[in-house]
Amino acid sequence: MNSTDDADSPSGRALALADREWRAMGIVAADRIALARDLRLELAGAAADGMTPEQLLGADVRRFARDLAVSAGVRRAPYEFRRLLLTGLAGGVPGLVLTFVLVWQWWLVPLHLLVGMDPLPNFLLRYVLSALVFVAGVLFAVRWGMRDSAEIDRTVARMALLVPPAGLLAIPVTMGFASLTRYSLSAPVLLAEAAIVGGALAGAMVLARRWALSPILGSTRPPADPPGADPPAGPDRGGPKPAGPASEPGPPRVVPG
């Protein structure tokens, strides 16, 4: 078995670290596979020449992985708004349906906490409980369903900060609309209320995703050197040449300079 295929070997650990960095950058799967394949070949060739991964890649493997990806001109799909919204919807709707049965149709499952309260606190409590269950379902679904996506932990953390305030702001608007319909439970009214809340939450989710990915977004090409500047030390000085989707088939073996 090739030493680069062993996850516990230095080469295997370097490949795993580089792959984590490429995932964090939001690089599409096909390009990550191409980058990993080319880097594995470089590491295998370096090992045959008696070089260690640190000698080939440098001390900062994650920085090398970023430079390699940028030089290769990889494709990035970090936002995934459609997937984010659909995953969140899939996680929030079941809880919302359950809450509707337990809290709004309370005569099916009596909740004595709601009995005997004034109308406004009664309805406010129902809306708050529904929002909390919905948000919890959304956060859990996004964290689990998009666990392979770039910066998903950061995305969920930002959602936890932005989605609840958006839901709280949507509650009085929804209650105001509901009061105009005398708190009707008809399907058109409920759909309109769901659209108000859903729009606010969707906007918060999009903002959270943008916020989470803002540190890693940028040009996929390196900036031009200023006039008269010496070329910086990088992959072409003592490391493998950038390889990947934009490279020619069969990257050349590199001998350290």
Side-chain angles (χ1 to χ4, degrees):
M1 183 175 63
N2 195 313
S3 62
T4 57
D5 296 327
D6 185 359
D8 294 329
S9 68
S11 295
R13 289 193 295 270
L15 280 169
L17 188 59
D19 184 69
R20 285 198 295 271
E21 186 63 23
W22 294 330
R23 287 176 182 273
M25 293 174 68
I27 297 173
V28 298
D31 288 359
R32 288 201 318 269
I33 293 172
L35 286 169
R37 180 186 63 242
D38 292 345
L39 183 56
R40 184 178 291 107
L41 291 175
E42 296 289 351
L43 288 169
D49 292 335
M51 293 179 60
T52 65
E54 185 173 7
Q55 290 174 310
L56 185 71
L57 309 181
D60 192 344
V61 176
R62 298 185 65 174
R63 180 176 179 179
F64 174 84
R66 288 195 300 272
D67 293 342
L68 186 64
V70 168
S71 299
V74 294
R75 296 164 295 170
R76 301 162 82 175
Y79 286 124
E80 299 181 289
F81 288 139
R82 184 172 181 271
R83 183 185 176 193
L84 178 71
L85 295 175
L86 290 177
T87 303
L89 185 66
V93 167
L96 199 60
V97 171
L98 179 62
T99 306
F100 175 76
V101 173
L102 295 179
V103 176
W104 288 92
Q105 304 291 336
W106 59 271
W107 54 84
L108 298 180
V109 181
L111 295 178
H112 300 291
L113 179 63
L114 301 177
V115 177
M117 297 178 64
D118 293 334
L120 183 58
N122 195 326
F123 279 102
L124 181 60
L125 179 59
R126 291 181 177 186
Y127 277 108
V128 170
L129 288 175
S130 300
L132 289 176
V133 172
F134 181 82
V135 169
V138 167
L139 294 178
F140 176 80
V142 170
R143 177 61 187 85
W144 185 83
M146 296 182 64
R147 58 191 181 277
D148 61 335
S149 186
E151 294 293 347
I152 196 59
D153 288 333
R154 187 186 312 216
T155 299
V156 172
R158 300 299 187 268
M159 286 173 58
L161 292 175
L162 296 181
V163 171
L168 291 176
L169 290 175
I171 286 176
V173 176
T174 307
M175 290 184 65
F177 173 79
S179 67
L180 297 177
T181 65
R182 297 182 181 275
Y183 299 101
S184 170
L185 297 180
S186 64
V189 172
L190 292 176
L191 288 176
E193 293 177 359
I196 294 172
V197 177
L201 297 181
M205 292 170 67
V206 168
L207 288 176
R209 185 66 170 160
R210 285 185 175 276
W211 184 15
L213 292 174
S214 59
I216 64 171
L217 293 182
S219 174
T220 58
R221 297 187 181 276
D225 295 328
D230 293 330
D236 290 331
R237 293 193 173 185
K241 292 182 179 179
S247 63
E248 294 295 331
R253 289 277 300 280
V254 177
V255 178

